[in-house]
Amino acid sequence: MMILRLALAVVISAYATAQPASTSSLVTYIFGDSLTEVGNNNYLQYSLARADFPYYGVDFSGGKATGRFTNGRTIGDIISTKLGIPSPPPYLSLSQNDDAFLSGINYASGGAGILNETGIYFVLLLL
């Protein structure tokens, strides 16, 4: 079950040309839940699943909360570092005309799941 969860948590696609891989030819797109989130939920107005409080990110560069549900880096950050490229930004932090779409994006969202019921406890219902 844990292996299945990890397989669903991170999907990284790397595109390399026929020449030896260079940092300009590698692109990462990350899909997942809180294990790989880098701050998308910070841009959701009605989400209770947020990691922008003290102690989240205390071991991350800068020592401040970044939206990661960890005190440091996520697996996506670690893999990006190993590939020699920057960690992709949160999808919701970009504008539609941003060129960052071409160099990779992190779509992960804390509380995400396959079933509609998965994240129901993390949504602020306005009654």
Coordinates of all heavy atoms in Angstrom, one line a residue, residues 60-120:
F60 N 13.9 24.3 5.8 CA 14.0 24.7 4.4 C 14.8 25.9 4.3 O 15.0 26.7 5.2 CB 12.6 24.9 3.8 CG 12.6 24.9 2.3 CD1 12.7 23.8 1.6 CD2 12.4 26.1 1.7 CE1 12.7 23.8 0.2 CE2 12.3 26.2 0.3 CZ 12.5 25.0 -0.4
S61 N 15.4 26.1 3.1 CA 16.2 27.3 2.9 C 15.4 28.6 3.2 O 14.3 28.8 2.7 CB 16.6 27.3 1.4 OG 16.9 28.6 0.9
G62 N 15.9 29.4 4.1 CA 15.2 30.6 4.6 C 14.5 30.4 5.9 O 14.2 31.4 6.6
G63 N 14.2 29.1 6.2 CA 13.6 28.8 7.5 C 12.2 29.3 7.8 O 11.7 29.4 8.9
K64 N 11.5 29.6 6.7 CA 10.1 30.1 6.8 C 9.1 29.1 6.1 O 9.5 28.3 5.3 CB 9.9 31.4 6.2 CG 10.7 32.5 6.9 CD 10.4 33.9 6.4 CE 11.3 34.8 7.1 NZ 11.0 36.2 6.9
A65 N 7.9 29.1 6.6 CA 6.8 28.3 6.0 C 6.7 28.6 4.5 O 6.6 29.7 4.1 CB 5.5 28.5 6.7
T66 N 6.6 27.5 3.7 CA 6.6 27.7 2.2 C 5.3 27.1 1.7 O 5.1 27.1 0.5 CB 7.8 27.1 1.6 OG1 7.8 25.7 1.9 CG2 9.1 27.7 2.0
G67 N 4.5 26.4 2.5 CA 3.4 25.6 2.0 C 3.7 24.2 1.9 O 2.8 23.4 1.5
R68 N 4.9 23.8 2.2 CA 5.3 22.4 2.2 C 4.8 21.8 3.5 O 5.0 22.4 4.5 CB 6.8 22.2 2.0 CG 7.3 22.5 0.6 CD 8.8 22.7 0.6 NE 9.3 22.9 -0.7 CZ 9.3 24.0 -1.4 NH1 8.8 25.1 -0.9 NH2 9.8 24.0 -2.6
F69 N 4.2 20.6 3.4 CA 3.7 19.9 4.6 C 4.9 19.1 5.3 O 4.8 17.9 5.5 CB 2.6 19.0 4.3 CG 1.3 19.7 4.1 CD1 1.0 20.3 2.8 CD2 0.4 19.8 5.1 CE1 -0.1 21.0 2.6 CE2 -0.8 20.5 4.9 CZ -1.1 21.1 3.6
T70 N 6.0 19.8 5.5 CA 7.2 19.2 6.0 C 8.0 20.3 6.6 O 7.8 21.5 6.4 CB 8.0 18.4 5.0 OG1 9.2 17.9 5.6 CG2 8.4 19.3 3.8
N71 N 9.0 20.0 7.4 CA 9.9 21.0 8.0 C 11.0 21.3 7.0 O 11.8 22.2 7.3 CB 10.4 20.5 9.3 CG 11.3 19.3 9.2 OD1 11.0 18.5 8.4 ND2 12.3 19.2 10.1
G72 N 11.1 20.6 5.9 CA 12.2 20.8 4.9 C 11.8 20.6 3.5 O 10.7 21.1 3.1
R73 N 12.5 19.8 2.8 CA 12.2 19.6 1.4 C 11.3 18.4 1.2 O 11.3 17.5 2.0 CB 13.5 19.3 0.6 CG 14.5 20.5 0.7 CD 15.8 20.2 -0.1 NE 16.5 19.1 0.5 CZ 17.4 18.4 -0.2 NH1 17.9 18.8 -1.3 NH2 18.0 17.4 0.4
T74 N 10.6 18.4 0.0 CA 9.8 17.3 -0.4 C 10.6 16.4 -1.3 O 11.7 16.8 -1.7 CB 8.5 17.7 -1.1 OG1 8.9 18.4 -2.4 CG2 7.7 18.7 -0.3
I75 N 10.0 15.2 -1.7 CA 10.8 14.3 -2.6 C 11.0 15.0 -3.9 O 12.0 14.8 -4.6 CB 10.0 13.0 -2.7 CG1 10.9 12.0 -3.5 CG2 8.7 13.1 -3.3 CD1 12.1 11.6 -2.8
G76 N 10.0 15.8 -4.4 CA 10.2 16.6 -5.6 C 11.3 17.5 -5.6 O 12.1 17.7 -6.5
D77 N 11.5 18.2 -4.4 CA 12.7 19.1 -4.2 C 14.0 18.3 -4.3 O 14.9 18.8 -4.9 CB 12.6 19.8 -2.9 CG 11.4 20.8 -2.8 OD1 11.0 21.4 -3.8 OD2 10.9 20.9 -1.6
I78 N 14.0 17.2 -3.7 CA 15.2 16.4 -3.6 C 15.6 15.9 -5.0 O 16.7 15.9 -5.4 CB 15.0 15.2 -2.6 CG1 14.9 15.8 -1.2 CG2 16.2 14.2 -2.7 CD1 14.4 14.8 -0.2
I79 N 14.6 15.4 -5.7 CA 14.9 14.9 -7.1 C 15.3 16.0 -8.0 O 16.2 15.8 -8.8 CB 13.6 14.1 -7.7 CG1 13.4 12.8 -6.9 CG2 13.8 13.8 -9.1 CD1 12.2 12.1 -7.2
S80 N 14.7 17.2 -7.9 CA 15.1 18.3 -8.7 C 16.5 18.7 -8.5 O 17.3 19.0 -9.4 CB 14.1 19.5 -8.5 OG 12.8 19.2 -8.9
T81 N 16.9 18.7 -7.2 CA 18.3 19.0 -6.8 C 19.2 18.0 -7.4 O 20.3 18.3 -8.0 CB 18.4 19.0 -5.3 OG1 17.6 20.0 -4.7 CG2 19.9 19.3 -4.9
K82 N 18.9 16.7 -7.4 CA 19.7 15.6 -8.0 C 19.9 15.8 -9.5 O 20.9 15.5 -10.1 CB 19.2 14.3 -7.7 CG 19.2 13.9 -6.2 CD 20.6 13.6 -5.8 CE 20.6 13.1 -4.3 NZ 22.0 13.0 -3.8
L83 N 18.8 16.3 -10.1 CA 18.8 16.5 -11.6 C 19.6 17.8 -11.9 O 19.9 18.1 -13.1 CB 17.4 16.6 -12.2 CG 16.6 15.3 -12.1 CD1 15.2 15.5 -12.6 CD2 17.3 14.2 -13.0
G84 N 19.8 18.7 -10.9 CA 20.5 19.9 -11.1 C 19.6 21.0 -11.7 O 20.1 22.0 -12.3
I85 N 18.3 21.0 -11.4 CA 17.4 22.0 -11.8 C 16.6 22.5 -10.6 O 16.6 21.9 -9.6 CB 16.4 21.4 -12.9 CG1 15.6 20.2 -12.3 CG2 17.1 21.0 -14.1 CD1 14.5 19.7 -13.2
P86 N 16.0 23.7 -10.7 CA 15.3 24.3 -9.6 C 14.0 23.5 -9.4 O 13.4 22.9 -10.3 CB 15.0 25.7 -10.0 CG 15.2 25.8 -11.5 CD 16.1 24.7 -11.8
S87 N 13.5 23.5 -8.2 CA 12.2 22.8 -7.9 C 11.1 23.6 -8.6 O 11.1 24.8 -8.5 CB 12.0 22.8 -6.3 OG 10.9 22.1 -6.0
P88 N 10.2 22.9 -9.2 CA 9.1 23.6 -9.9 C 8.2 24.4 -8.9 O 8.0 24.0 -7.8 CB 8.3 22.5 -10.6 CG 8.8 21.3 -10.0 CD 10.1 21.5 -9.3
P89 N 7.7 25.6 -9.4 CA 6.9 26.4 -8.5 C 5.4 25.8 -8.4 O 5.0 25.0 -9.3 CB 6.9 27.7 -9.2 CG 7.0 27.4 -10.7 CD 7.9 26.2 -10.7
P90 N 4.7 26.3 -7.4 CA 3.3 25.9 -7.3 C 2.5 26.4 -8.5 O 2.7 27.5 -9.0 CB 2.8 26.5 -6.0 CG 3.9 27.1 -5.3 CD 5.0 27.1 -6.3
Y91 N 1.6 25.5 -9.1 CA 0.8 25.9 -10.2 C 0.0 27.2 -10.0 O -0.1 28.0 -10.8 CB -0.1 24.7 -10.6 CG -1.2 25.1 -11.5 CD1 -0.9 25.3 -12.9 CD2 -2.5 25.2 -11.1 CE1 -1.9 25.6 -13.8 CE2 -3.5 25.5 -12.0 CZ -3.2 25.7 -13.3 OH -4.2 26.1 -14.2
L92 N -0.6 27.3 -8.8 CA -1.5 28.4 -8.5 C -0.7 29.7 -8.3 O -1.4 30.8 -8.2 CB -2.4 28.1 -7.3 CG -3.4 26.9 -7.6 CD1 -4.2 26.6 -6.3 CD2 -4.3 27.3 -8.7
S93 N 0.6 29.7 -8.2 CA 1.3 30.9 -8.0 C 1.7 31.6 -9.4 O 2.2 32.7 -9.4 CB 2.6 30.6 -7.3 OG 3.5 29.9 -8.1
L94 N 1.4 30.9 -10.5 CA 1.8 31.4 -11.8 C 0.6 32.1 -12.5 O -0.6 31.8 -12.3 CB 2.2 30.3 -12.7 CG 3.4 29.4 -12.1 CD1 3.6 28.2 -12.9 CD2 4.6 30.3 -11.9
S95 N 0.9 33.1 -13.4 CA -0.1 33.7 -14.2 C -0.2 32.8 -15.5 O 0.7 32.1 -15.8 CB 0.2 35.1 -14.5 OG 1.4 35.2 -15.3
Q96 N -1.2 33.0 -16.3 CA -1.4 32.3 -17.5 C -0.3 32.5 -18.5 O 0.0 31.7 -19.4 CB -2.8 32.5 -18.1 CG -3.9 32.0 -17.3 CD -5.3 32.2 -18.0 OE1 -5.3 33.0 -19.0 NE2 -6.3 31.5 -17.5
N97 N 0.3 33.7 -18.5 CA 1.3 34.0 -19.5 C 2.7 33.8 -19.0 O 3.7 34.2 -19.6 CB 1.1 35.5 -19.9 CG -0.2 35.8 -20.5 OD1 -0.8 35.0 -21.2 ND2 -0.7 37.0 -20.2
D98 N 2.8 33.1 -17.9 CA 4.1 32.9 -17.3 C 4.9 31.8 -18.0 O 4.3 30.7 -18.4 CB 4.0 32.4 -15.8 CG 5.2 32.6 -15.0 OD1 6.3 32.5 -15.6 OD2 5.1 32.9 -13.8
D99 N 6.2 32.0 -18.3 CA 7.0 31.0 -19.0 C 7.4 29.8 -18.2 O 8.0 28.9 -18.7 CB 8.2 31.7 -19.6 CG 8.0 32.6 -20.8 OD1 6.9 32.4 -21.4 OD2 8.8 33.4 -21.1
A100 N 7.1 29.9 -16.9 CA 7.5 28.8 -16.0 C 6.7 27.5 -16.4 O 7.2 26.4 -16.0 CB 7.1 29.1 -14.5
F101 N 5.6 27.6 -17.1 CA 4.9 26.4 -17.6 C 5.8 25.6 -18.4 O 5.7 24.3 -18.5 CB 3.7 26.8 -18.4 CG 2.5 27.3 -17.5 CD1 2.3 28.6 -17.3 CD2 1.7 26.4 -16.9 CE1 1.3 29.1 -16.6 CE2 0.6 26.8 -16.1 CZ 0.4 28.2 -15.9
L102 N 6.8 26.2 -19.1 CA 7.7 25.4 -20.0 C 8.8 24.7 -19.2 O 9.5 23.8 -19.8 CB 8.3 26.4 -21.0 CG 7.3 27.1 -21.9 CD1 8.0 28.1 -22.8 CD2 6.4 26.2 -22.7
S103 N 9.1 25.1 -18.0 CA 10.2 24.6 -17.3 C 9.8 23.7 -16.1 O 10.6 23.3 -15.2 CB 11.1 25.7 -16.8 OG 10.5 26.6 -15.9
G104 N 8.5 23.4 -16.0 CA 8.0 22.5 -15.0 C 7.1 23.2 -13.9 O 7.3 24.4 -13.7
I105 N 6.1 22.4 -13.4 CA 5.2 22.9 -12.5 C 4.8 21.9 -11.5 O 4.8 20.7 -11.8 CB 3.8 23.3 -13.2 CG1 4.1 24.4 -14.3 CG2 2.8 23.9 -12.2 CD1 2.9 24.7 -15.1
N106 N 4.5 22.3 -10.2 CA 4.1 21.4 -9.2 C 2.6 21.6 -9.0 O 2.1 22.6 -8.6 CB 4.8 21.7 -7.9 CG 4.5 20.7 -6.8 OD1 3.3 20.4 -6.6 ND2 5.5 20.2 -6.1
Y107 N 1.8 20.5 -9.3 CA 0.3 20.6 -9.2 C -0.2 19.9 -7.9 O -1.4 19.9 -7.7 CB -0.3 19.8 -10.4 CG -0.1 20.4 -11.8 CD1 0.9 19.9 -12.6 CD2 -0.9 21.4 -12.2 CE1 1.1 20.5 -13.9 CE2 -0.7 22.0 -13.4 CZ 0.3 21.5 -14.3 OH 0.5 22.1 -15.5
A108 N 0.7 19.5 -7.1 CA 0.3 18.8 -5.9 C -0.5 19.7 -4.9 O -0.3 20.8 -4.8 CB 1.6 18.2 -5.1
S109 N -1.4 19.0 -4.2 CA -2.3 19.8 -3.3 C -2.5 18.9 -2.0 O -3.0 17.7 -2.2 CB -3.6 20.1 -4.0 OG -4.5 20.8 -3.1
G110 N -2.2 19.4 -0.9 CA -2.5 18.7 0.4 C -3.9 18.4 0.5 O -4.8 19.2 0.3
G111 N -4.2 17.1 0.8 CA -5.6 16.6 1.0 C -6.1 16.1 -0.3 O -7.3 15.6 -0.4
A112 N -5.3 16.1 -1.4 CA -5.8 15.5 -2.7 C -5.9 14.0 -2.6 O -5.2 13.4 -1.8 CB -4.8 15.9 -3.8
G113 N -6.8 13.5 -3.4 CA -6.9 12.0 -3.4 C -7.7 11.6 -4.7 O -8.1 12.4 -5.5
I114 N -7.8 10.3 -4.8 CA -8.5 9.8 -6.0 C -10.0 9.9 -5.9 O -10.7 10.2 -6.8 CB -8.1 8.3 -6.2 CG1 -6.6 8.2 -6.5 CG2 -8.9 7.7 -7.3 CD1 -6.1 6.8 -6.5
L115 N -10.5 9.7 -4.7 CA -12.0 9.8 -4.5 C -12.4 11.2 -4.1 O -11.7 12.0 -3.5 CB -12.4 8.8 -3.3 CG -12.0 7.4 -3.5 CD1 -12.3 6.6 -2.3 CD2 -12.7 6.8 -4.7
N116 N -13.7 11.5 -4.4 CA -14.2 12.9 -4.1 C -14.2 13.1 -2.6 O -14.1 14.2 -2.1 CB -15.6 13.0 -4.6 CG -15.6 13.2 -6.1 OD1 -14.6 13.6 -6.7 ND2 -16.7 12.9 -6.7
E117 N -14.4 12.0 -1.8 CA -14.5 12.0 -0.4 C -13.2 12.3 0.3 O -13.1 12.6 1.5 CB -15.2 10.8 0.2 CG -16.6 10.5 -0.3 CD -16.7 9.9 -1.7 OE1 -15.6 9.3 -2.1 OE2 -17.7 10.0 -2.3
T118 N -12.1 12.1 -0.4 CA -10.7 12.1 0.2 C -10.5 13.4 1.0 O -10.1 13.4 2.1 CB -9.7 11.9 -0.8 OG1 -9.9 10.7 -1.4 CG2 -8.3 11.9 -0.2
G119 N -10.7 14.6 0.4 CA -10.4 15.8 1.0 C -11.5 16.6 1.6 O -11.4 17.8 1.9
I120 N -12.7 15.9 1.8 CA -13.9 16.6 2.2 C -13.7 17.3 3.6 O -14.3 18.3 3.9 CB -15.1 15.6 2.3 CG1 -16.4 16.4 2.4 CG2 -15.0 14.7 3.4 CD1 -16.8 17.1 1.2

